[in-house]
Amino acid sequence: MNGARELEHRVALVTGAGRNIGRAIALELAAGGAAIVVNVRSNKQEAEAVAHEIEAAGGRALPAVADVADPETIAAMVAAALARFSRLDYLVNNAAMRGEKRLEDMTYAEWRKVLDVTLDGAFHCTKACLPHLKSSGAGAIVNIGGLSAHAGSKHRAHVLTAKSGLVGFTRALAFDLAADNVTANCVAPGLVETARPKDFVEPQHHAIHHTLSGRRGSPQDIATIVRFFCGPGARFITGQTIHASGGAFLT
Amino acid sequence: MTTPFHLHDKVAVITGSSRGIGRAIAESMAALGAKVVISSRKLAACEEVVRDIEQRGGQATAVSCNISHKAEVEALVHKSRERFGAIDILVCNAAVNPVYGPLATLPDDAFDKVINANVKSTLWLCNLVIPEMAECGGGAVIIVSSIAGLRGSDRIGMYGISKAADFALVRNLAVEWGPRNIRVNALAPGLVKTDFARALWENEELLQRRNAQTPLRRIGLPEEIGPVAAFLASPAASFITGQIIVADGGITAGS
């Protein structure tokens, strides 16, 4: 049962946790009682702010700067996490690159960059965390996918490919890790209200999808699902992709 | 402390909840603060579940209902409202599976019986409950389907057809009622150790084959399905609608 502190004594690593959905996931898992490794790629202040917020609420957190595309910095982060918390039960592969670009204008370097972070990053983090997740006894990996990978959209070949890859990766992990009682699932958010840079231009893919209620989701809407997947109520669910898009995509 | 999984004072009607998955759903929801209506054909069996929930500090009431009879379904909704007030959560869980065997020799009356009990009755319930939910500002509907609706079978084909209909029902109701803040989702368990599925897991040879095909190497327990339904009903799932949530130890992830 998912009680008030059902993740007590557990430790979660959340990548890309400095803001928006990643930050909401970090705060939500902390509210469930887990200690959190708050990963960011470069903005140390953001990671520290999230860690402070968790600690101020009575939780435990470790800010960690590491680029998911760089296996060496990831290994160092996982070592630091183990040194601090002695265990690792959950990995949330949330770090991702977005952007829109016409296929005609997309360079190989741009394509590679998105795949390096979103897909290869999940691979590196999973590999680095694997021995610890296996010894958890009730480990969980949650990959954050995306609506576009399922519904399709223009000018996002790199993003759609990477996020679709995460769905396959999720299924593969379900099979490879089941014997060690590690579940692997994917949450596919769509149309979530997030903080954007000042010069942010609403991308075209936002205009082609519609929620049934007309309301956009909040980062919290996604975070609570991740908390459920980590907790004791979801131990028989593995290899699944759950859409949280207000019905914008019906499986 | 309030969690995103709380169901404080929500009224939940769960059909087929005297045993198995339905009972586990009722227990999960009651433990999270919901007032649950326990329902099945046998009132005495329902009352036993009610006593059990009450002993653990929960709130529950028993109403007998054969979901194949419209008058009884109407009475279930009426009595539930009378005892606990407006319904916030509807779990359509009761179903029948009277035939094992190939579709080739399926009698017409078996087809009608399964479709009536598993599909038509679910729509009755939804149409009786959802409009009031909408008037009250929203609600959550969970239709307990099965992975039998996602895959083929040489034994439970008719059941699978009725369970596949659940998925279409969920999508259509989600579209119809999404603008009124009603979320409608399907929960698709794999093989779970219940009396309902006894024929499928009691045979040791079948069970071993099944376990070998399942990534988690085991069949499920009712108490592993209850919390998933409770999650879908809770604020934690506030942005999920029109979806099929599979809880099957991973067996369909491979196909």
Side-chain angles (χ1 to χ4, degrees):
Chain A
M1 181 52 55
N2 292 287
R5 306 272 294 175
E6 80 282 7
L7 309 180
E8 199 84 70
H9 308 304
R10 302 283 182 183
V11 181
L13 167 57
V14 183
T15 67
R19 59 196 130 125
N20 293 330
I21 290 175
R23 172 177 172 273
I25 292 169
L27 295 175
E28 187 62 43
L29 298 182
I36 311 294
V37 183
V38 183
N39 162 258
V40 296
R41 181 171 57 87
S42 58
N43 192 332
K44 196 175 177 198
Q45 282 174 328
E46 279 185 345
E48 285 172 349
V50 174
H52 283 150
E53 204 173 335
I54 291 169
E55 283 166 353
R60 297 180 298 154
L62 175 69
V65 177
D67 184 351
V68 295
D70 175 1
E72 277 180 30
T73 66
I74 293 304
M77 170 174 67
V78 172
L82 262 290
R84 169 77 189 275
F85 297 125
S86 308
R87 62 183 298 140
L88 192 52
D89 302 280
Y90 314 127
L91 167 65
V92 182
N93 286 310
N94 167 69
M97 291 271 293
R98 299 203 187 82
E100 291 193 341
K101 196 106 190 205
R102 281 159 45 92
L103 191 58
E104 291 84 343
D105 302 329
M106 189 181 292
T107 65
Y108 180 62
E110 286 164 338
W111 163 271
R112 261 300 5 132
K113 185 72 197 157
V114 170
L115 283 155
D116 278 348
V117 172
T118 308
L119 190 54
D120 294 10
F123 175 79
H124 296 317
C125 291
T126 302
K127 289 280 283 184
C129 295
L130 205 50
H132 313 295
L133 298 174
K134 283 182 171 185
S135 40
S136 159
I141 296 172
V142 183
N143 296 317
I144 306 302
L147 168 64
S148 295
H150 302 269
S153 75
K154 285 196 292 186
H155 306 161
R156 305 187 85 199
H158 45 7
V159 175
L160 267 65
T161 304
K163 292 284 190 180
S164 301
L166 278 180
V167 174
F169 187 50
T170 302
R171 288 205 184 100
L173 291 176
F175 273 73
D176 285 341
L177 306 183
D180 295 294
N181 204 19
V182 177
T183 61
N185 291 292
C186 177
V187 179
L191 298 159
V192 172
E193 208 66 73
T194 51
R196 310 276 188 183
K198 279 198 201 79
D199 54 353
F200 182 74
V201 180
E202 190 80 3
Q204 61 81 28
H205 73 271
H206 284 185
I208 60 170
H209 302 310
H210 302 281
T211 65
L212 295 173
S213 63
R215 165 182 91 83
R216 284 197 180 180
S218 67
Q220 177 79 3
D221 281 321
I222 309 305
T224 52
I225 302 168
V226 176
R227 176 171 168 182
F228 173 70
F229 275 140
C230 291
R235 294 314 302 172
F236 200 52
I237 303 184
T238 192
Q240 303 302 315
T241 296
I242 306 300
H243 292 268
S245 54
F249 179 74
L250 302 182
T251 52
Chain B
M1 188 180 153
T2 303
T3 80
F5 308 110
H6 76 84
L7 299 173
H8 295 315
D9 292 328
K10 297 289 181 191
V11 175
V13 174
I14 304 123
T15 62
S17 47
S18 64
R19 290 186 296 167
I21 288 174
R23 178 177 183 156
I25 291 172
E27 287 174 344
S28 284
M29 289 186 172
L32 290 161
K35 301 180 205 171
V36 295
V37 179
I38 307 298
S39 162
S40 78
R41 276 171 301 177
K42 296 180 186 123
L43 186 63
C46 296
E47 283 168 342
E48 202 181 304
V49 177
V50 167
R51 274 195 296 278
D52 207 50
I53 288 173
E54 285 175 344
Q55 266 167 17
R56 283 184 262 171
Q59 296 181 78
T61 189
V63 180
S64 69
C65 174
N66 180 338
I67 53 154
S68 298
H69 301 306
K70 196 169 192 176
E72 293 194 31
V73 173
E74 286 168 347
L76 167 65
V77 173
H78 180 70
K79 285 181 188 168
S80 298
R81 284 176 181 151
E82 212 170 62
R83 296 188 199 166
F84 282 153
I87 299 164
D88 304 290
I89 299 161
L90 172 64
V91 183
C92 301
N93 168 70
V96 300
N97 185 19
V99 279
Y100 283 88
L103 291 174
T105 52
L106 184 81
D108 280 357
D109 61 344
F111 184 98
D112 292 342
K113 185 177 179 188
V114 173
I115 289 296
N116 282 340
N118 294 6
V119 186
K120 198 203 265 181
S121 165
T122 298
L123 185 57
W124 288 339
L125 256 176
C126 289
N127 285 340
L128 283 166
V129 171
I130 295 178
E132 188 199 58
M133 276 181 180
E135 290 304 311
C136 295
V141 178
I142 294 136
I143 298 180
V144 180
S145 181
S146 164
I147 62 165
L150 294 167
R151 315 195 301 169
S153 160
D154 55 5
R155 253 165 300 140
I156 53 168
M158 188 56 230
Y159 180 72
I161 290 168
S162 73
K163 294 284 117 180
D166 284 341
F167 302 144
L169 201 54
V170 155
R171 288 187 203 104
N172 287 292
L173 290 172
V175 169
E176 224 170 284
W177 292 99
R180 304 289 302 276
N181 196 32
I182 310 281
R183 297 184 299 103
V184 187
N185 292 292
L187 170 52
L191 184 51
V192 175
K193 200 166 182 181
T194 60
D195 289 339
F196 186 82
R198 187 173 286 276
L200 297 173
W201 55 262
E202 217 166 35
N203 179 322
E204 189 58 35
E205 194 191 319
L206 283 182
L207 180 64
Q208 275 181 18
R209 200 188 316 152
R210 180 70 169 213
N211 287 344
Q213 291 165 348
T214 307
L216 289 182
R217 295 289 182 267
R218 60 186 179 84
I219 65 170
L221 297 170
E223 51 268 37
E224 293 182 294
I225 306 302
V228 184
F231 160 73
L232 285 173
S234 77
S238 50
F239 205 44
I240 301 181
T241 192
Q243 304 301 316
I244 304 165
I245 311 299
V246 176
D248 68 347
I251 194 165
T252 54
S255 51

